[in-house]
Amino acid sequence: MNLILLGPPGCGKGTQAVNLVKKYNYCQLSTGDILREAVANETQTGKIVKDVLASGKLVDDGLIIKIMEEKIIETKSKPGRIFDGFPRTLTQANELEGLLKRFQMELNLVIELVVDQHSLIERIMKRAQESEEKREDDNSVIVEKRLEVYNRETKPIIDFYSSKYNLNKIDGMQGIQEVSNTIENLIESIH
């Protein structure tokens, strides 16, 4: 099972991915988590992306594709992969198709968590206050910048997936459990 969770920053992709990992033993491939881990570990990649992440911009497509290729190879034995926050651009969407083909895999499910973007800033600020793990990108200026970048760079891939696959839209403003139930029902319908 290969599935993509799409939606703006703070819409709940990560929360839903964690639930799916627990339930199905899938592997969560979150570009944000992967990049933050690289920064924290001060790896070569981490040094490259530290300033980019702090500014709210997107990391270069080539670097993201290389990281995802490595992660797909690493997780080949897992029953599934959840692409969380990837792809973020049309280039990445096309490259992901090529990677999956090369590894004789297919994309099984594409889900967009649809949310009111004005409510997202409140949601992210609340997450920042309640979380023990502090993220440099959890402040209102950077969140607004991330939403602006999302709307400009990532929203076009919604049309890409709508035209090529059955894009499943889920109201991300529902409670966490309602969203989880809807996603699980979609997964079960494929198995």
Side-chain angles (χ1 to χ4, degrees):
M1 170 68 70
N2 289 297
L3 68 98
I4 296 175
L5 291 176
L6 297 171
C11 72
K13 295 182 303 286
T15 299
Q16 293 303 324
V18 167
N19 290 341
L20 296 173
V21 167
K22 287 178 188 166
K23 180 156 184 152
Y24 298 103
N25 196 30
Y26 293 165
C27 182
Q28 177 187 11
L29 300 180
S30 163
T31 50
D33 290 349
I34 292 165
L35 294 173
R36 280 187 288 277
E37 183 180 312
V39 169
N41 293 336
E42 298 181 352
T43 66
Q44 195 63 32
T45 302
K47 291 172 186 171
I48 294 169
V49 301
K50 184 176 183 178
D51 293 336
V52 177
L53 285 179
S55 70
K57 295 178 184 171
L58 292 181
V59 176
D60 173 73
D61 284 339
L63 182 58
I64 294 294
I65 300 300
K66 178 122 183 67
I67 289 168
M68 278 300 149
E69 180 178 13
E70 291 168 1
K71 291 296 180 182
I72 289 170
I73 291 168
E74 241 176 69
T75 63
K76 210 161 185 227
S77 65
K78 285 282 193 178
R81 274 145 300 288
I82 305 158
F83 295 98
D84 164 10
F86 175 84
R88 289 189 176 176
T89 65
L90 285 171
T91 299
Q92 290 178 13
N94 282 306
E95 289 290 332
L96 177 59
E97 282 195 336
L99 284 174
L100 291 175
K101 240 180 232 169
R102 189 158 21 119
F103 295 114
Q104 295 157 351
M105 297 176 176
E106 62 182 78
L107 183 56
N108 306 100
L109 191 56
V110 183
I111 297 170
E112 178 189 12
L113 297 179
V114 181
V115 293
D116 171 32
Q117 290 193 13
H118 297 294
S119 300
L120 282 184
I121 295 172
E122 284 179 33
R123 184 187 276 187
I124 292 171
M125 294 301 93
K126 186 177 178 192
R127 174 181 76 189
Q129 290 171 348
E130 294 173 355
S131 176
E132 292 177 20
E133 179 190 335
K134 298 298 174 206
R135 290 173 44 170
E136 285 184 42
D137 56 349
D138 274 354
N139 75 58
S140 61
V141 174
I142 291 176
V143 169
E144 286 176 20
K145 175 75 175 166
R146 288 171 64 203
L147 287 172
E148 179 186 309
V149 170
Y150 171 82
N151 288 324
R152 184 179 63 245
E153 303 273 338
T154 306
K155 257 200 159 169
I157 69 173
I158 302 297
D159 292 336
F160 174 84
Y161 284 115
S162 292
S163 67
K164 295 186 92 166
Y165 299 91
N166 181 20
L167 177 71
N168 298 276
K169 293 180 180 275
I170 297 175
D171 178 1
M173 299 307 290
Q174 299 177 87
I176 291 170
Q177 192 56 55
E178 287 84 1
V179 174
S180 292
N181 291 343
T182 305
I183 292 172
E184 289 169 16
N185 288 337
L186 288 168
I187 290 171
E188 297 300 328
S189 73
I190 292 172
H191 283 298

